[in-house]
PDB file of all heavy atoms in Angstrom:
ATOM      1  N   SER A  89     -14.081 -13.306 -12.792  1.00 98.00           N
ATOM      2  CA  SER A  89     -14.880 -14.532 -12.695  1.00 98.00           C
ATOM      3  C   SER A  89     -16.358 -14.146 -12.757  1.00 98.00           C
ATOM      4  O   SER A  89     -16.709 -12.970 -12.635  1.00 98.00           O
ATOM      5  CB  SER A  89     -14.568 -15.265 -11.396  1.00 98.00           C
ATOM      6  OG  SER A  89     -14.787 -14.407 -10.289  1.00 98.00           O
ATOM      7  N   CYS A  90     -17.234 -15.171 -12.927  1.00 97.00           N
ATOM      8  CA  CYS A  90     -18.649 -14.862 -13.185  1.00 97.00           C
ATOM      9  C   CYS A  90     -19.444 -14.627 -11.912  1.00 97.00           C
ATOM     10  O   CYS A  90     -20.434 -13.903 -11.921  1.00 97.00           O
ATOM     11  CB  CYS A  90     -19.271 -15.964 -14.031  1.00 97.00           C
ATOM     12  SG  CYS A  90     -19.719 -17.452 -13.103  1.00 97.00           S
ATOM     13  N   GLY A  91     -19.047 -15.278 -10.804  1.00 97.00           N
ATOM     14  CA  GLY A  91     -19.776 -15.105  -9.556  1.00 97.00           C
ATOM     15  C   GLY A  91     -21.012 -15.989  -9.419  1.00 97.00           C
ATOM     16  O   GLY A  91     -21.670 -15.962  -8.376  1.00 97.00           O
ATOM     17  N   ARG A  92     -21.340 -16.772 -10.440  1.00 97.00           N
ATOM     18  CA  ARG A  92     -22.600 -17.522 -10.412  1.00 97.00           C
ATOM     19  C   ARG A  92     -22.432 -19.018 -10.655  1.00 97.00           C
ATOM     20  O   ARG A  92     -23.349 -19.788 -10.405  1.00 97.00           O
ATOM     21  CB  ARG A  92     -23.543 -16.979 -11.495  1.00 97.00           C
ATOM     22  CG  ARG A  92     -24.069 -15.592 -11.225  1.00 97.00           C
ATOM     23  CD  ARG A  92     -25.126 -15.211 -12.247  1.00 97.00           C
ATOM     24  NE  ARG A  92     -24.569 -15.129 -13.589  1.00 97.00           N
ATOM     25  CZ  ARG A  92     -24.142 -14.000 -14.155  1.00 97.00           C
ATOM     26  NH1 ARG A  92     -24.217 -12.873 -13.517  1.00 97.00           N
ATOM     27  NH2 ARG A  92     -23.646 -14.002 -15.371  1.00 97.00           N
ATOM     28  N   CYS A  93     -21.294 -19.451 -11.172  1.00 98.00           N
ATOM     29  CA  CYS A  93     -21.146 -20.873 -11.518  1.00 98.00           C
ATOM     30  C   CYS A  93     -20.860 -21.678 -10.233  1.00 98.00           C
ATOM     31  O   CYS A  93     -20.603 -21.098  -9.183  1.00 98.00           O
ATOM     32  CB  CYS A  93     -20.007 -21.044 -12.526  1.00 98.00           C
ATOM     33  SG  CYS A  93     -18.372 -20.787 -11.803  1.00 98.00           S
ATOM     34  N   PRO A  94     -20.903 -23.010 -10.307  1.00 98.00           N
ATOM     35  CA  PRO A  94     -20.670 -23.811  -9.098  1.00 98.00           C
ATOM     36  C   PRO A  94     -19.331 -23.516  -8.418  1.00 98.00           C
ATOM     37  O   PRO A  94     -19.261 -23.466  -7.184  1.00 98.00           O
ATOM     38  CB  PRO A  94     -20.733 -25.253  -9.616  1.00 98.00           C
ATOM     39  CG  PRO A  94     -21.674 -25.171 -10.788  1.00 98.00           C
ATOM     40  CD  PRO A  94     -21.353 -23.843 -11.437  1.00 98.00           C
ATOM     41  N   SER A  95     -18.254 -23.286  -9.188  1.00 98.00           N
ATOM     42  CA  SER A  95     -16.962 -22.969  -8.557  1.00 98.00           C
ATOM     43  C   SER A  95     -17.024 -21.633  -7.835  1.00 98.00           C
ATOM     44  O   SER A  95     -16.586 -21.505  -6.690  1.00 98.00           O
ATOM     45  CB  SER A  95     -15.842 -22.928  -9.602  1.00 98.00           C
ATOM     46  OG  SER A  95     -15.555 -24.205 -10.091  1.00 98.00           O
ATOM     47  N   CYS A  96     -17.550 -20.606  -8.501  1.00 97.00           N
ATOM     48  CA  CYS A  96     -17.631 -19.289  -7.873  1.00 97.00           C
ATOM     49  C   CYS A  96     -18.482 -19.347  -6.605  1.00 97.00           C
ATOM     50  O   CYS A  96     -18.158 -18.719  -5.603  1.00 97.00           O
ATOM     51  CB  CYS A  96     -18.204 -18.263  -8.847  1.00 97.00           C
ATOM     52  SG  CYS A  96     -17.013 -17.745 -10.108  1.00 97.00           S
ATOM     53  N   LEU A  97     -19.572 -20.124  -6.643  1.00 97.00           N
ATOM     54  CA  LEU A  97     -20.449 -20.203  -5.472  1.00 97.00           C
ATOM     55  C   LEU A  97     -19.741 -20.864  -4.289  1.00 97.00           C
ATOM     56  O   LEU A  97     -20.108 -20.652  -3.145  1.00 97.00           O
ATOM     57  CB  LEU A  97     -21.733 -20.970  -5.824  1.00 97.00           C
ATOM     58  CG  LEU A  97     -22.659 -20.228  -6.792  1.00 97.00           C
ATOM     59  CD1 LEU A  97     -23.840 -21.105  -7.169  1.00 97.00           C
ATOM     60  CD2 LEU A  97     -23.149 -18.908  -6.209  1.00 97.00           C
ATOM     61  N   ALA A 100     -14.296 -20.711  -5.165  1.00 97.00           N
ATOM     62  CA  ALA A 100     -13.160 -21.256  -5.909  1.00 97.00           C
ATOM     63  C   ALA A 100     -13.137 -20.608  -7.294  1.00 97.00           C
ATOM     64  O   ALA A 100     -13.144 -21.274  -8.325  1.00 97.00           O
ATOM     65  CB  ALA A 100     -13.262 -22.772  -6.011  1.00 97.00           C
ATOM     66  N   SER A 101     -13.092 -19.268  -7.307  1.00 97.00           N
ATOM     67  CA  SER A 101     -13.318 -18.544  -8.560  1.00 97.00           C
ATOM     68  C   SER A 101     -12.191 -18.715  -9.570  1.00 97.00           C
ATOM     69  O   SER A 101     -12.376 -18.421 -10.739  1.00 97.00           O
ATOM     70  CB  SER A 101     -13.567 -17.064  -8.276  1.00 97.00           C
ATOM     71  OG  SER A 101     -12.518 -16.529  -7.499  1.00 97.00           O
ATOM     72  N   TYR A 103     -11.324 -21.387 -10.630  1.00 98.00           N
ATOM     73  CA  TYR A 103     -11.835 -22.466 -11.483  1.00 98.00           C
ATOM     74  C   TYR A 103     -13.225 -22.121 -12.013  1.00 98.00           C
ATOM     75  O   TYR A 103     -14.041 -22.991 -12.289  1.00 98.00           O
ATOM     76  CB  TYR A 103     -11.847 -23.796 -10.718  1.00 98.00           C
ATOM     77  CG  TYR A 103     -10.481 -24.147 -10.189  1.00 98.00           C
ATOM     78  CD1 TYR A 103     -10.252 -24.298  -8.830  1.00 98.00           C
ATOM     79  CD2 TYR A 103      -9.394 -24.290 -11.050  1.00 98.00           C
ATOM     80  CE1 TYR A 103      -8.990 -24.588  -8.344  1.00 98.00           C
ATOM     81  CE2 TYR A 103      -8.134 -24.575 -10.573  1.00 98.00           C
ATOM     82  CZ  TYR A 103      -7.928 -24.724  -9.220  1.00 98.00           C
ATOM     83  OH  TYR A 103      -6.677 -25.003  -8.750  1.00 98.00           O
ATOM     84  N   CYS A 104     -13.489 -20.816 -12.145  1.00 98.00           N
ATOM     85  CA  CYS A 104     -14.752 -20.340 -12.722  1.00 98.00           C
ATOM     86  C   CYS A 104     -15.013 -21.041 -14.052  1.00 98.00           C
ATOM     87  O   CYS A 104     -14.109 -21.178 -14.875  1.00 98.00           O
ATOM     88  CB  CYS A 104     -14.679 -18.826 -12.946  1.00 98.00           C
ATOM     89  SG  CYS A 104     -16.128 -18.140 -13.774  1.00 98.00           S
ATOM     90  N   TYR A 105     -16.248 -21.488 -14.249  1.00 98.00           N
ATOM     91  CA  TYR A 105     -16.603 -22.166 -15.507  1.00 98.00           C
ATOM     92  C   TYR A 105     -16.427 -21.216 -16.696  1.00 98.00           C
ATOM     93  O   TYR A 105     -16.313 -21.645 -17.832  1.00 98.00           O
ATOM     94  CB  TYR A 105     -18.049 -22.678 -15.446  1.00 98.00           C
ATOM     95  CG  TYR A 105     -18.269 -23.893 -14.552  1.00 98.00           C
ATOM     96  CD1 TYR A 105     -17.453 -24.161 -13.456  1.00 98.00           C
ATOM     97  CD2 TYR A 105     -19.314 -24.781 -14.814  1.00 98.00           C
ATOM     98  CE1 TYR A 105     -17.669 -25.266 -12.640  1.00 98.00           C
ATOM     99  CE2 TYR A 105     -19.529 -25.895 -13.997  1.00 98.00           C
ATOM    100  CZ  TYR A 105     -18.713 -26.126 -12.913  1.00 98.00           C
ATOM    101  OH  TYR A 105     -18.930 -27.221 -12.113  1.00 98.00           O
ATOM    102  N   GLU A 106     -16.432 -19.900 -16.425  1.00 97.00           N
ATOM    103  CA  GLU A 106     -16.248 -18.913 -17.499  1.00 97.00           C
ATOM    104  C   GLU A 106     -14.876 -18.245 -17.416  1.00 97.00           C
ATOM    105  O   GLU A 106     -14.713 -17.101 -17.862  1.00 97.00           O
ATOM    106  CB  GLU A 106     -17.362 -17.849 -17.416  1.00 97.00           C
ATOM    107  CG  GLU A 106     -18.744 -18.394 -17.684  1.00 97.00           C
ATOM    108  CD  GLU A 106     -19.800 -17.300 -17.661  1.00 97.00           C
ATOM    109  OE1 GLU A 106     -19.474 -16.115 -17.869  1.00 97.00           O
ATOM    110  OE2 GLU A 106     -20.973 -17.650 -17.415  1.00 97.00           O
ATOM    111  N   PHE A 107     -13.889 -18.925 -16.822  1.00 97.00           N
ATOM    112  CA  PHE A 107     -12.577 -18.291 -16.626  1.00 97.00           C
ATOM    113  C   PHE A 107     -11.997 -17.790 -17.947  1.00 97.00           C
ATOM    114  O   PHE A 107     -11.524 -16.655 -18.035  1.00 97.00           O
ATOM    115  CB  PHE A 107     -11.588 -19.262 -15.966  1.00 97.00           C
ATOM    116  CG  PHE A 107     -10.301 -18.590 -15.543  1.00 97.00           C
ATOM    117  CD1 PHE A 107     -10.178 -18.029 -14.282  1.00 97.00           C
ATOM    118  CD2 PHE A 107      -9.225 -18.477 -16.422  1.00 97.00           C
ATOM    119  CE1 PHE A 107      -9.002 -17.382 -13.890  1.00 97.00           C
ATOM    120  CE2 PHE A 107      -8.057 -17.827 -16.046  1.00 97.00           C
ATOM    121  CZ  PHE A 107      -7.946 -17.285 -14.771  1.00 97.00           C
ATOM    122  N   ARG A 149     -16.080  -8.309  -8.869  1.00 97.00           N
ATOM    123  CA  ARG A 149     -15.546  -9.675  -8.821  1.00 97.00           C
ATOM    124  C   ARG A 149     -14.023  -9.692  -8.789  1.00 97.00           C
ATOM    125  O   ARG A 149     -13.440 -10.660  -8.323  1.00 97.00           O
ATOM    126  CB  ARG A 149     -16.010 -10.476 -10.057  1.00 97.00           C
ATOM    127  CG  ARG A 149     -17.466 -10.861 -10.074  1.00 97.00           C
ATOM    128  CD  ARG A 149     -17.871 -11.802  -8.975  1.00 97.00           C
ATOM    129  NE  ARG A 149     -17.064 -13.017  -8.884  1.00 97.00           N
ATOM    130  CZ  ARG A 149     -17.143 -13.859  -7.861  1.00 97.00           C
ATOM    131  NH1 ARG A 149     -17.968 -13.642  -6.861  1.00 97.00           N
ATOM    132  NH2 ARG A 149     -16.389 -14.945  -7.837  1.00 97.00           N
TER     133      ARG A 149
HETATM  134 ZN1  LIG B   1     -17.810 -18.544 -12.178  1.00 53.89          ZN
END
Side-chain angles (χ1 to χ4, degrees):
S89 56
C90 79
R92 291 187 296 265
C93 72
S95 290
C96 284
L97 291 175
S101 54
Y103 303 119
C104 175
Y105 287 27
E106 295 183 23
F107 189 90
R149 288 296 307 170

